[in-house]
Amino acid sequence: GDFVLQPDAWVEHKEKHKHKSLYLYLHILVHLACLLVILSFNQKYWAGILIIIASHYVIDLAKLHLQNKFKQGGLFLADQLAHIGVLLFVLNMYQPFEISLKSLYSTPVLLFLMAILFVTFVTAILIKNILGNWKFIEQSKNESLKNAGKYIGMLERLFVFGFVILQQYQAIGFLIAAKSIFRFSDLSRAKDRKLTEYILVGTLLSVIFAILTAFMYQYARQIIKN
């Protein structure tokens, strides 16, 4: 209802006219129709349907009025979490369930979280300090996104970590090749080898740390099982 059956024109009209927008109410009707079809018009679920529809209208209306006061990404996340919260509440009405956090404190889960933290934030700091001796200005800061390189490196290491865990080693080569293609324009503009060497060292360090972290994680997990 939010992503497939809501045209961009509806979204733009809602953002401009808020509660006066006809498309806001059409959007709610779309959700109502989806719920009725999915639940086969079963009268057993009418109370839940009314709660979902009413809350969806209130949440969407609140988002429209807060859109200029908060960043779009954070507001979008809060909006979706609110919708999911309502769905869980209604689900609990018909099929009670419990959410236990005890499983999160198990050794395997904590080990996995530690590995993820190390391969992202800790490794980012290690690489930054290792490359700290080589500083040069290749382009103005206005030409790149803030902290983009840091997050690209984190995502790169997460991919490599996952590939090693899944034993898809050939995918690591594909990832490095893809990154090289995207950075080709930067490398071709370089007047000397400094930028090329800097990028290569950073990339290789990133990959090495990710692979080592994955191997250490697998080794530690095997010890836990035994």
Side-chain angles (χ1 to χ4, degrees), residues 35 52 55 82-92 97:
L35 285 169
I52 293 173
S55 65
H83 290 314
I84 293 174
V86 172
L87 293 176
L88 291 176
F89 171 78
V90 173
L91 173 61
N92 190 65
F97 64 93

Side-chain angles (χ1 to χ4, degrees), residues 46-80:
W46 278 109
I49 291 174
L50 290 176
I51 292 174
I52 293 173
I53 294 302
S55 65
H56 199 102
Y57 172 77
V58 173
I59 294 170
D60 278 16
L61 191 61
K63 178 186 176 183
L64 291 173
H65 285 281
L66 294 174
Q67 62 183 350
N68 295 325
K69 298 180 181 180
F70 298 93
K71 291 184 178 180
Q72 183 178 2
L75 194 58
F76 172 80
L77 179 61
D79 171 75
Q80 296 303 313

